[in-house]
Amino acid sequence: KPVSFWYCHRADGSLRAIVAEVNNTFGERHAYLLDAPQYGQELRARKVFHVSPFCPVEGDYRFEFKRGGAQGLQSTRVRIDFDDAQGPLVLTGVAGRLQPLDAASRRRALWHYPLLTLGVMARIHWHALLLWAKRAPVQPVTRSSTSSTPSTPSTPSKPSL
């Protein structure tokens, strides 16, 4: 799985932080600490971790987390964009339906999505092959010295008009 999100709540249930745990195809992992998030607010974090051979390490991630439904407990949507020095380079996101985690929901997930991770990896490699066929420039891969360590906290973005 390329990215996992860990929502950290205070004892009163309010959202304190989100950790975006990014994995790459080289077996490395990096955690981005998104400090003081608010749903619907854009957060930024400096990219410090090599993920794709088609994107430079230099740049910024923009994250936005949204919840929907009654009390924000029915659905979630996460936007993850990557900007380099010239502007937006990769625009992506993920959305899903929220459910309580119990034995029944774990069984359903296991039986309904047994090959989900393999499918995601296949699509990532397929798109990499398409980029390579189009002769997209390949960035040199450097092993991350920050692998498995959290980055500096993110900063909220100023809304753009």
Side-chain angles (χ1 to χ4, degrees), residues 19-66:
V19 176
E21 182 182 54
V22 178
N23 299 282
N24 67 18
T25 55
F26 312 109
E28 297 175 310
R29 175 182 307 152
H30 183 79
Y32 292 92
L33 175 62
L34 306 174
D35 196 26
Q38 294 181 11
Y39 292 113
Q41 176 189 36
E42 187 175 273
L43 297 164
R44 288 184 174 266
R46 169 100 22 224
K47 183 179 178 188
V48 297
F49 182 67
H50 193 91
V51 176
S52 168
F54 300 102
C55 294
V57 174
E58 298 79 21
D60 293 303
Y61 284 121
R62 290 182 290 122
F63 297 90
E64 185 178 21
F65 298 84
K66 292 185 177 182

Side-chain angles (χ1 to χ4, degrees), residues 121-134:
M121 294 305 295
R123 286 189 294 279
I124 288 171
H125 285 90
W126 173 250
H127 284 279
L129 179 64
L130 294 175
L131 288 169
W132 177 80
K134 291 179 181 180

Side-chain angles (χ1 to χ4, degrees), residues 61-130:
Y61 284 121
R62 290 182 290 122
F63 297 90
E64 185 178 21
F65 298 84
K66 292 185 177 182
R67 291 282 178 98
Q71 299 173 336
L73 298 175
Q74 291 179 333
S75 65
T76 184
R77 182 175 305 271
V78 180
R79 192 189 83 224
I80 313 131
D81 300 335
F82 172 64
D83 299 342
D84 66 6
Q86 285 74 46
L89 185 63
V90 176
L91 307 175
T92 188
V94 63
R97 196 176 77 238
L98 296 172
Q99 306 179 0
L101 183 62
D102 56 25
S105 66
R106 286 192 303 265
R107 275 193 305 278
R108 276 193 307 275
L110 176 65
W111 290 108
H112 286 106
Y113 308 106
L115 302 176
L116 181 64
T117 300
L118 292 176
V120 168
M121 294 305 295
R123 286 189 294 279
I124 288 171
H125 285 90
W126 173 250
H127 284 279
L129 179 64
L130 294 175

